Amino acid sequence: MTDALITRFRAVFARDPDFIARAPGRIEFIGNHTDYNGGPVLGAAIDRSVWVGLSLRSDGKRRFASDSKKGVLELESGAPLERITGQNSWVNYPLGVLAAMRDSSLPIPGGFDYMAVSNVPMGAGLSSSAAIELSSGLVFLKATGTELGREALVKLGRKAENEFVGVPCGILDQGVSGFGKKDHLVYIDCRGPRFDTVPLPAGSNFWIFNTHTKHALIDGLYAARHQECMEAAKVIGVGLLVDATPAMLAGAEQKLSRTTFKRARHVIDEIARVAAAVSALEKGDLAAVGKLLLASHRSSRTWFENSCPELDFLVDNLESEPGVYGARLTGGGFGGAAMALTTDAFGDEAGQRVSDAYLAKFGSRPEIIHARTGDGASLITR
Ligand code: GLA
């Protein structure tokens, strides 16, 4: 893909990129909506990424292009950094990173030519947005000669998403894209945040089924869940739900609305499931991990209400396939993708069976990706 980026960069800008960076998409392994509640989460960087190339210009023009949209968007570096609407709205990710750098008192590049190419499917819950934020951050920092640690880069990405793009997400997506490691899961204690890795037992496979469905209100629904969790914490009397125990939840049940009770129930149980998954992984007990994945999905469906019929159907079907340890929705929910943790025995034929059943029910096929783990964001030196 680095070659594809260079070829496209030359075709559009008639020159070579001076700096190239790559950042991966991610799977949310377990820990659904725990991150902004201060809880722990496990994710994996996948072998699909966004590549960004950049060359500085001396005329103050910032020119943005990508392999997914036609044309070049030209902005003046002297103009205020403002959100863009319409078909060029993808540019809000790199613009958000520039704004986050500026607001963190870091130097930002003036004029440049910028190109992004990607093989992370968009809208699948695999965080193509975090991947573009981190790869953009790396080239912008390099272009201004700024040295910044991995954790600070991850935080810049999240700041861009929270403050410029306007999604109140936690640290999961950027953290996993930044700290990913091949054959490992990334563990994030989101309160710190503190980043760590957990070895993935040999013979673990990830299969992703992208439904291509996206709830029209997804952004609003994510923000609403965030709000409900904060409300629940307030009524229970803690700063964040990570500090609430099951007993505290039971004690506050009468004071909570039915909705806020359900959201808190999911988050509190899910935090316990992440801890259980870490110890099962340490013992190499993938069967136990699989059960936790299924329990996580059912909790999302019942308590957090962020699943949908397509995802439930996939998880139920996958559960009945030989070689599947467990399956669950991955990411924010309300559409997007389900992922399965499988043995080596699960292959294309099994994937096809699930796809056929899905086709018969919903009239279209899911996109199937056999993902491998990959390394986190890095600059590419040529
Ligand atoms: C999205 C957000 C993450 C996280 C997940 C749900 O992917 O970007 O921060 O909240 O949803 O766990």
Side-chain angles (χ1 to χ4, degrees):
M1 281 297 276
T2 306
D3 289 344
L5 170 72
I6 295 170
T7 305
R8 212 174 160 95
F9 200 100
R10 284 183 186 147
V12 174
F13 299 121
R15 60 198 293 221
D16 272 16
D18 292 335
F19 314 105
I20 300 177
R22 177 201 62 84
R26 65 100 190 90
I27 293 170
E28 175 191 283
F29 187 69
I30 192 166
N32 190 240
H33 289 258
T34 53
D35 62 354
Y36 55 82
N37 287 297
V41 59
L42 280 169
I46 57 170
D47 57 347
R48 302 257 185 150
S49 293
V50 172
W51 283 256
V52 168
L54 185 113
S55 279
L56 292 171
R57 299 173 62 93
S58 53
D59 61 1
K61 293 190 191 320
R62 292 183 178 144
R63 305 206 298 161
F64 294 89
S66 86
D67 64 345
S68 63
K69 290 280 179 311
K70 280 206 189 100
V72 174
L73 177 72
E74 192 172 296
L75 301 172
E76 291 296 333
S77 60
L81 287 168
E82 273 165 4
R83 262 179 69 110
I84 287 172
T85 50
Q87 72 137 5
N88 283 318
S89 59
W90 70 271
V91 174
N92 288 323
Y93 296 109
L95 289 181
V97 174
L98 289 173
M101 288 170 69
R102 178 202 58 199
D103 295 347
S104 308
S105 305
L106 295 169
I108 61 172
F112 53 72
D113 291 331
Y114 170 110
M115 167 70 69
V117 305
S118 169
N119 61 10
V120 186
M122 284 196 277
L126 297 176
S127 270
S128 53
S129 54
I132 193 170
E133 285 155 6
L134 265 64
S135 45
S136 300
L138 282 172
V139 292
F140 293 151
L141 291 165
K142 182 73 183 167
T144 51
T146 311
E147 301 272 341
L148 205 65
R150 200 162 278 273
E151 183 170 339
L153 171 71
V154 162
K155 287 180 174 164
L156 273 185
R158 182 184 176 191
K159 192 172 164 66
E161 187 91 33
N162 289 169
E163 294 172 15
F164 198 86
V165 181
V167 179
C169 69
I171 196 79
L172 163 69
D173 307 343
Q174 293 81 11
V176 174
S177 183
F179 283 87
K181 189 170 166 197
K182 197 170 170 5
D183 298 325
H184 287 72
L185 295 172
V186 178
Y187 174 86
I188 311 176
D189 171 348
C190 300
R191 192 154 37 174
R194 188 176 60 78
F195 303 90
D196 208 345
T197 53
V198 178
L200 195 57
S204 316
N205 289 262
F206 294 124
W207 287 79
I208 295 159
F209 294 78
N210 178 10
T211 65
H212 292 291
T213 57
K214 187 175 186 249
H215 200 293
L217 299 172
I218 181 158
D219 294 339
L221 287 167
Y222 185 91
R225 291 297 179 278
H226 184 280
Q227 185 58 39
E228 288 156 6
C229 290
M230 297 307 141
E231 175 66 25
K234 205 164 131 197
V235 173
I236 297 171
V238 290
L240 290 171
L241 283 177
V242 66
D243 291 319
T245 60
M248 288 160 86
L249 175 64
E253 186 168 356
Q254 299 311 318
K255 286 189 282 167
L256 290 161
S257 70
R258 183 70 191 145
T259 301
T260 46
F261 173 80
K262 285 163 93 174
R263 307 307 182 239
R265 170 77 200 265
H266 167 74
V267 171
I268 292 168
D269 290 354
E270 186 75 352
I271 287 172
R273 275 188 289 269
V274 177
V278 172
S279 47
L281 283 163
E282 279 163 0
K283 292 186 205 119
D285 188 352
L286 290 175
V289 174
K291 291 206 178 76
L292 291 162
L293 300 182
L294 287 164
S296 166
H297 182 80
R298 307 258 134 85
S299 174
S300 293
R301 186 181 66 192
T302 311
W303 300 115
F304 214 67
E305 296 175 288
N306 61 335
S307 187
C308 62
E310 290 86 348
L311 292 171
D312 293 340
F313 183 85
L314 283 172
V315 171
D316 289 346
N317 259 263
L318 285 161
E319 188 183 2
S320 64
E321 279 293 334
V324 173
Y325 291 116
R328 58 180 293 273
L329 66 83
T330 182
F334 311 109
M339 70 107 201
L341 174 69
T342 77
T343 66
D344 295 334
F346 188 96
D348 291 331
E349 240 175 70
Q352 199 54 40
R353 266 198 302 277
V354 174
S355 174
D356 288 346
Y358 187 94
L359 175 68
K361 171 104 177 152
F362 296 106
S364 65
R365 287 189 183 278
E367 175 187 10
I368 304 179
I369 301 166
H370 184 187
R372 287 166 184 85
T373 54
D375 287 325
S378 61
L379 274 169
I380 293 173
T381 40
R382 289 184 290 143

